[in-house]
Amino acid sequence: MHPNIQHLIDLQVVDLRLAEIRAQLSGFPKRLAELDARLAAARKLLETSKEALLTSLKDRKKYELDVESWKEKVRKYKDQTASVKTNEAYKALQHEVTYAEGEVAKAEDRLLDRMMAGEEFERQVKAAERSLKEIETASSAERQELVKEQAALQKELEVDEARRLEATAFIPEDLLDHYHRIAARHGGVGLAAVRDETCSMCRVRVRPHVFQKLRREGCEEVFHCETCTRILYYFEPVAQAAAAAESSAPTDES
């Protein structure tokens, strides 16, 4: 295997972790915006509930005045009946009294409906106030956790960026550039292990002579998968390597 492959493997591990950290960091603005949106929605609900309650109270006052207005007309018509001189005038006033009393009943029904609606609006305001308080408490705690998580990831990012610089220091520039071009085409994965004589990424079989060269220590060639073009590497399985070492060890002479 090429002597710099191990450095590339180490680099790829760091690069994949860096990509994961950056992806997580890029999601924090959205997560914070979702917290703000949740708070804004709760505040809007409370505002809307209060406006509905205020409108209801204004309507209630209007209906109360309406009731009093018709009651005043009833009293006025009844007072007038005492001074009328003819039956026709008396009957006319009685008709007005009856009509006004009917309007009083209707106005009182409207007022009762508005009072019941006002009680419901009051319940909605109280519920919205409780909900807002709960959301504010939860959002504050969640925001603190997000800030801590973001700070920890940022620190981890800085550590891994330093590790990346160390890893690239051992890799020739042309090989490093070659790795970057391949990784850019494959989601950051520029290398592939060979397992069972097959590329572990695209599952295409490696040619036998290539596999034999990959197994050879001190090989200076860089090999690619013929299908996905990733740089190939191979490590002898532990059991197989141990058996090979045992078979090559000198035996005791009797």
Side-chain angles (χ1 to χ4, degrees), residues 18-213:
L18 282 171
E20 181 182 348
I21 293 173
R22 291 185 180 116
Q24 292 180 42
L25 286 172
S26 68
F28 279 95
K30 180 181 178 182
R31 294 168 70 182
L32 290 170
E34 288 172 349
L35 287 181
D36 293 338
R38 197 185 314 161
L39 273 173
R43 288 173 180 146
K44 181 63 177 177
L45 177 60
L46 177 57
E47 179 185 348
T48 302
S49 299
K50 286 182 175 180
E51 289 176 354
L53 176 59
L54 181 60
T55 299
S56 177
L57 291 174
K58 290 179 180 178
D59 289 344
R60 176 176 173 176
K61 186 65 176 178
K62 182 179 69 175
Y63 293 153
E64 286 174 346
L65 292 173
D66 197 25
V67 169
E68 288 303 316
S69 175
W70 282 110
K71 283 184 176 181
E72 179 60 28
K73 289 180 180 180
V74 170
R75 287 193 291 269
K76 184 182 71 172
Y77 293 143
K78 284 184 176 181
D79 289 343
Q80 289 176 359
T81 58
S83 59
V84 296
K85 303 297 184 179
T86 64
N87 286 334
E88 289 77 7
Y90 180 81
K91 289 179 180 180
L93 284 172
Q94 283 295 106
H95 176 76
E96 293 296 337
V97 168
T98 302
Y99 177 79
E101 286 177 339
E103 291 302 315
V104 168
K106 293 178 183 178
E108 286 178 338
D109 287 342
R110 290 194 295 269
L111 177 58
L112 180 60
D113 288 342
R114 183 48 50 189
M115 290 172 66
M116 293 176 63
E119 291 175 357
E120 176 59 28
F121 288 133
E122 287 179 354
R123 285 193 291 270
Q124 290 178 7
V125 168
K126 290 178 181 178
E129 287 174 339
R130 288 194 300 270
S131 178
L132 175 58
K133 187 175 181 180
E134 291 171 359
I135 291 174
E136 284 177 336
T137 300
S139 294
S140 177
E142 191 171 345
R143 185 178 295 274
Q144 290 178 10
E145 288 300 316
L146 284 176
V147 170
K148 289 180 182 178
E149 185 181 345
Q150 188 177 23
L153 282 171
Q154 188 63 44
K155 185 175 181 180
E156 189 175 347
L157 178 70
E158 293 170 0
V159 170
D160 282 342
E161 285 177 338
R163 286 177 56 198
R164 189 182 196 284
L165 285 175
E166 293 176 2
T168 56
F170 298 100
I171 305 172
E173 186 174 346
D174 58 341
L175 182 58
L176 184 61
D177 183 61
H178 185 57
Y179 157 77
H180 285 152
R181 289 199 305 271
I182 296 174
R185 295 197 300 268
H186 298 291
V189 182
L191 289 88
V194 174
R195 297 190 181 94
D196 297 326
E197 300 184 38
T198 301
C199 173
S200 60
M201 299 305 299
C202 68
R203 311 307 302 169
V204 171
R205 192 169 183 82
V206 176
R207 292 181 183 274
H209 73 278
V210 172
F211 180 65
Q212 290 304 319
K213 288 183 178 180

Side-chain angles (χ1 to χ4, degrees), residues 233-251:
Y233 65 90
Y234 176 78
F235 289 119
E236 291 284 354
V238 175
Q240 184 176 338
E246 184 179 346
S247 64
S248 63
T251 58

